[in-house]
Amino acid sequence: MPGKAAKIALAAALVVVAAGAGVWWFGDAPGRPSAAAPAAPSTTQVRRTDLSTSTSTAGTLGYGDTRMLKGTSSGVVTWLPATGTTVSRGEQVYRVDDKPVTLFVGGIPLYRKLDAAGLVGKDVKLVADNLAALGYVIGAQPRAGTSAGSPPVKVGVGEAVLTQPLIEAVKRWQTANGEAATGVVDVADVVVFGGPVRVGTIHAQLGDPATNPLFEVSATTRSVTVQIDAADVGSHKTGDKLTVTMPDGSTTGGTVGSVGATAKGGDQSAGSGSGGGPAAAQQVQLVVSLDDPAKAGALDAASVQVVFPSASRNGVLAVAVGALLAVKQGGYALQRPGGALVPVTTGLFAQGLVEVSGAGVTDGMTVVTAS
């Protein structure tokens, strides 16, 4: 069914058509002198095409959610990166007491000092995986389900063992970083993220305690965040395609990267919102990746418009809405230039067109239109 705006447009078009088609509706008044021959009616054609409707909502271009980085060492901050810097695996994130704190990629932080051969755990695997990814030879690892160490400890899935070859790899890594080759990895030596990060706002100064908030970090690629009503979450899924309009009017495709699972905002209690009005709808965050990030230019943050396709029909017959005639008996028809009416069934209304079908409706058929 057409929306309210489409219905208003259709009603207005039908009024114009009815006014211009007096012969069909009422005929000439009896006894009235014949008027001059009317001008030839305007015509249009039925065409096979694709139709789609869409909804547009505001979004925010940026680097996504930010995370505040706090140090874990009791030392003093001696070096900080610049805002906008990208830090990748194996690179220093900041320095404490002139020692680098290195970025490792993973899903679990270090939670203890790795200082004894035979230690088993996911934190050991974090170190092993990152050193291997950086090109260091770490040696073979015992299979999951077997035992290692002294006393023997069973190796679980997603765990690794601090073997002597792995310790030697740690020493080579420390030497490459300009540190003493102790073979020991402490909690404060690395910071763990899910991938490379971009440095945002700096909150610390050189000389500050390293346990203070240091700076914000975010993803390294720009994306668009959109707040949608929690009730509409089921209408969106990861991988959905849409269009993003930039501040300069250019557009690029977008892909839904994630749909939040937690609703925020609104009035969580029963009843009306503040002031006696309706309760505000709760919102869920949707993150959109850009198909062509270059369209964002040099913008780090901006307001954009995100256009979601709502409904579509491919390869259907459609005609300008102004060509529809309301039939007295109900329904709609198209009028041929010779005056014959062709009953039609209407479908999707979109972009000033309406989907039509019925006996005798063909691609390229010429019909009368009000505009």
Side-chain angles (χ1 to χ4, degrees), residues 38-342:
S42 298
T43 60
T44 188
Q45 289 184 320
V46 176
R47 288 299 187 190
R48 191 170 299 280
T49 187
D50 298 334
L51 294 180
S52 64
T53 59
S54 61
T55 56
S56 179
T57 188
T60 302
L61 174 70
Y63 288 90
D65 292 335
T66 61
R67 166 182 164 182
M68 177 62 73
L69 178 63
K70 294 182 179 180
T72 56
S73 170
S74 59
V76 173
V77 176
T78 54
W79 179 85
L80 290 165
T83 296
T85 300
T86 295
V87 185
S88 301
R89 187 202 308 261
E91 297 179 346
Q92 67 176 357
V93 185
Y94 59 98
R95 295 180 76 93
V96 176
D97 295 342
D98 206 28
K99 290 181 58 177
V101 178
T102 304
L103 186 147
F104 274 4
V105 174
I108 183 172
L110 286 184
Y111 50 86
R112 57 180 171 171
K113 180 184 288 188
L114 302 181
D115 58 356
L119 288 175
V120 178
K122 294 181 178 179
D123 52 349
V124 179
K125 183 169 175 56
L126 171 77
V127 173
D129 288 348
N130 277 272
L131 291 185
L134 291 170
Y136 294 94
V137 177
I138 64 171
Q141 279 286 320
R143 296 191 309 273
T146 61
S147 296
S150 180
V153 177
K154 188 174 183 179
V155 181
V157 176
E159 294 183 332
V161 181
L162 189 57
T163 61
Q164 193 58 43
L166 179 54
I167 292 174
E168 294 303 317
V170 170
K171 291 179 179 179
R172 293 192 295 274
W173 168 64
Q174 290 171 326
T175 298
N177 283 347
E179 302 176 66
T182 63
V184 175
V185 183
D186 208 347
V187 173
D189 293 339
V190 300
V191 59
V192 180
F193 294 110
V197 295
R198 177 183 183 274
V199 178
T201 304
I202 307 293
H203 293 267
Q205 296 181 6
L206 300 184
D208 283 352
T211 52
N212 285 3
L214 302 179
F215 49 84
E216 298 173 10
V217 294
S218 66
T220 58
T221 56
R222 285 167 291 187
S223 60
V224 175
T225 56
V226 184
Q227 302 299 324
I228 60 173
D229 287 347
D232 295 332
V233 167
S235 301
H236 307 282
K237 63 181 183 299
T238 301
D240 283 352
K241 296 294 184 179
L242 42 76
T243 302
V244 178
T245 303
M246 296 297 173
D248 63 359
S250 64
T251 61
T252 182
T255 305
V256 176
S258 66
V259 180
T262 303
K264 298 180 181 179
D267 187 350
Q268 311 244 351
S269 61
S272 300
S274 60
Q282 293 188 30
Q283 303 280 295
V284 169
Q285 180 172 281
L286 184 146
V287 179
V288 177
S289 62
L290 300 177
D291 293 349
D292 184 4
K295 288 285 189 178
L299 294 173
D300 283 343
S303 295
V304 297
Q305 286 294 313
V306 180
V307 181
F308 295 91
S310 299
S312 62
R313 301 285 190 274
N314 295 326
V316 298
L317 294 174
V319 71
V321 172
L324 281 181
L325 290 174
V327 180
K328 294 179 185 179
Q329 295 79 7
Y332 298 100
L334 300 176
Q335 184 179 14
R336 299 302 300 271
L341 299 181
V342 181

